[in-house]
């Protein structure tokens, strides 16, 4: 059995899934090495939910992503019966040029390293496992799939900031992210309701990272995310759209260092910063602290505002689609957001919403509401299979 390994590497964790190539793609297992360099733990589950591994390691044994990758590789060689034929990687930034996934070689890798300054917190983590595989198995085909690619068809007007042109040329432009999720959901919508998928759709990726994407005839035309994954909606710990003057104030008047500002905006803001309680919507919904309710009010308010902007970009709206952790699992949040969209012609069916059905709007709703589970890993596996000629 030939298999594809999909790798999604973050700052302190390495997530992975293995797919069998059998005509199509079948998910075999998923796993995660958490707590790299602090409290490393490898957990692996089969597609039936059976625990295949649950093992702790000493921090010294897993100090970084390459070592995590080696341990995962060793586990797969020992315990997994399939023959690994390719590895697909999630890479956050494909810069201005990569509008498609790409087969990796040394040249591509050094190209992708050029984008580290554009995504300093994510890109190095995404590239480290690629190098680790290259070092050990240079013969194994590897594919990079980018969070930015799906948005590369945006118009120049959309892509620009109103700052002098030479900054655009050096890469300071609106890229947009969560593209693998949007591409997957857009593809699912084609299967579910092709007439809608070919119309004007907003997909709301609402997870620990959150953004909206305006999709017209299956193509992204606008996104709430821009140069970095900080823009647009407030997220679990990220601030979302903020007046750049606030940053100047923090630097000049408060004397904060760039590193402190970065930490504030990426890790201490969003739902966590506003509530002072948690970055997790489940905790906030359950909390009695009024700041938790306030943070959720703010989140819903900002989603409504940005949905209005994206509907304007689309010139109307045929469907609004919820996806990712919050979008897929929280009827309460969907109901609150849907209430903000009523002026765009949506009417929520409360029962369908409570049951988490695919279509959650009423039959007479002018604009439809859907819940579609995203699957970025499957999207990466599909791209990888295609690029290795499967
Ligand atoms: P993701 O990044 O897509 O895995 O989403 C993670 C986020 O989804 C978590 O931080 C939670 O806030 C949210 N989430 C997951 N399940 C639920 C739920 N049942 N109700 C509300 N929020 C949820």
């Amino acid at each position: 059995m030939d298999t594809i390994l999909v790798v999604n590497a973050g700052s302190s964790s390495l997530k992975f899934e293995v797919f069998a190539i059998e005509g199509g793609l079948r998910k075999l297992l998923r796993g995660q090495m958490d707590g790299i360099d602090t409290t490393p733990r490898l957990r692996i589950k089969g597609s039936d939910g059976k625990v295949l591994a649950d093992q702790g390691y000493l921090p010294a044994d897993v100090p970084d992503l390459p070592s995590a990758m080696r341990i995962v590789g060793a586990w797969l060689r020992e315990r997994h019966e399939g023959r690994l034929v390719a590895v697909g990687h999630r890479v956050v930034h494909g810069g201005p040029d990569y509008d498609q996934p790409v087969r990796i070689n040394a040249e591509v890798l050094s190209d992708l390293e050029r984008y580290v300054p554009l995504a300093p917190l994510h890109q190095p983590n995404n590239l480290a496992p690629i190098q680790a595989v290259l070092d050990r198995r240079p013969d194994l085909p590897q594919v990079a799939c980018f969070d930015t690619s799906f948005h590369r068809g945006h118009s120049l007007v959309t892509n620009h900031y109103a700052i002098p042109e030479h900054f655009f040329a050096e890469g300071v432009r609106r890229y947009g992210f969560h593209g693998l999720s949007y591409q997957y959901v857009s593809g699912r919508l084609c299967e579910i309701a092709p007439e809608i998928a070919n119309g004007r759709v907003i997909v709301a990726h609402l997870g620990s990272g959150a953004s909206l994407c305006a999709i017209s005839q299956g193509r992204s035309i606008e996104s709430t995310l821009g140069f970095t994954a900080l823009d647009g909606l407030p997220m679990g710990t990220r601030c979302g759209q903020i007046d750049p003057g606030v940053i100047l104030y923090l630097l000049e008047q408060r004397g904060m260092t760039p590193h402190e500002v970065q930490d504030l905006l990426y890790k201490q803001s969003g739902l966590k910063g506003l509530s002072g309680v948690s970055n997790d919507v489940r905790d906030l919904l359950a909390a009695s602290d009024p700041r938790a309710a306030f943070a959720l009010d703010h989140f819903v308010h900002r989603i409504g505002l940005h949905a209005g902007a994206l509907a304007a970009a689309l010139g109307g709206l045929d469907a609004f689609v919820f996806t990712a952790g919050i979008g897929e699992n929280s009827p309460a949040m969907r109901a609150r957001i849907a209430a903000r969209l009523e002026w765009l012609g949506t009417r929520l069916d409360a029962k369908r919403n409570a049951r988490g059905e695919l279509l959650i709007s009423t039959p007479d709703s002018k604009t439809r509401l859907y819940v579609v589970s995203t699957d970025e890993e499957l999207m990466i596996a599909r791209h990888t299979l295609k690029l290795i000629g499967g």
Side-chain angles (χ1 to χ4, degrees), residues 205-209 271 279-282 285 324-326 329-330 333:
H205 178 106
L206 306 176
S208 42
L271 296 173
N279 60 336
D280 191 316
V281 168
R282 284 167 291 203
L285 285 167
I326 302 162
N329 297 306
S330 179
M333 292 305 290

Side-chain angles (χ1 to χ4, degrees), residues 8 34 38 44 52 106 108 116 153 161 174 180 191 197 206 219-220 238 261 325 331 356-357:
N8 181 357
D34 285 316
T38 51
I44 305 178
L52 303 176
V108 169
V116 166
Y161 289 110
R174 298 187 65 234
L180 292 160
E191 295 164 1
L206 306 176
R219 298 176 57 165
S220 167
R238 287 177 247 159
V261 173
E357 290 184 13

Side-chain angles (χ1 to χ4, degrees), residues 56 78 100 122 185 193 208 219 221 248 252 261 297 300 312 326 365:
E78 249 176 55
Q100 297 288 335
H122 296 97
V185 170
S208 42
R219 298 176 57 165
I221 63 152
L248 297 176
E252 289 175 358
V261 173
D297 286 347
V300 170
I326 302 162
S365 184

Side-chain angles (χ1 to χ4, degrees), residues 253-274:
Q253 306 304 321
R254 294 288 302 269
M256 290 173 74
T257 64
H259 187 267
E260 286 168 341
V261 173
Q262 176 173 289
D263 186 67
L264 177 81
L265 301 182
Y266 275 94
K267 297 188 179 151
Q268 312 299 338
S269 299
L271 296 173
K272 178 182 170 187
L274 258 187

Side-chain angles (χ1 to χ4, degrees), residues 330-382:
S330 179
M333 292 305 290
R334 289 197 299 261
R336 294 182 60 179
I337 294 162
R340 294 293 179 118
L341 304 174
E342 279 178 3
W343 69 279
L344 285 165
T346 65
R347 287 190 62 189
L348 183 75
D349 181 320
K351 286 190 182 142
R352 283 170 173 262
N353 181 44
R355 289 196 293 264
E357 290 184 13
L358 194 60
L359 180 68
I360 57 168
S361 48
T362 57
D364 64 344
S365 184
K366 208 163 74 43
T367 300
R368 292 195 201 166
L369 296 163
Y370 287 96
V371 181
V372 175
S373 300
T374 193
D375 196 336
E376 289 153 304
E377 286 75 17
L378 180 55
M379 199 70 237
I380 294 170
R382 283 182 187 159

Side-chain angles (χ1 to χ4, degrees), residues 10 22 24 49 70 106 121 144 160 187 194-195 206 227 232 249-250 267 273 282 285 323 327 335 346 360 365 377 381:
E22 288 170 341
R70 277 193 292 279
L121 296 183
H160 268 73
E195 72 290 1
L206 306 176
F227 179 56
Y249 169 82
L250 298 175
K267 297 188 179 151
R282 284 167 291 203
L285 285 167
T323 193
T346 65
I360 57 168
S365 184
E377 286 75 17

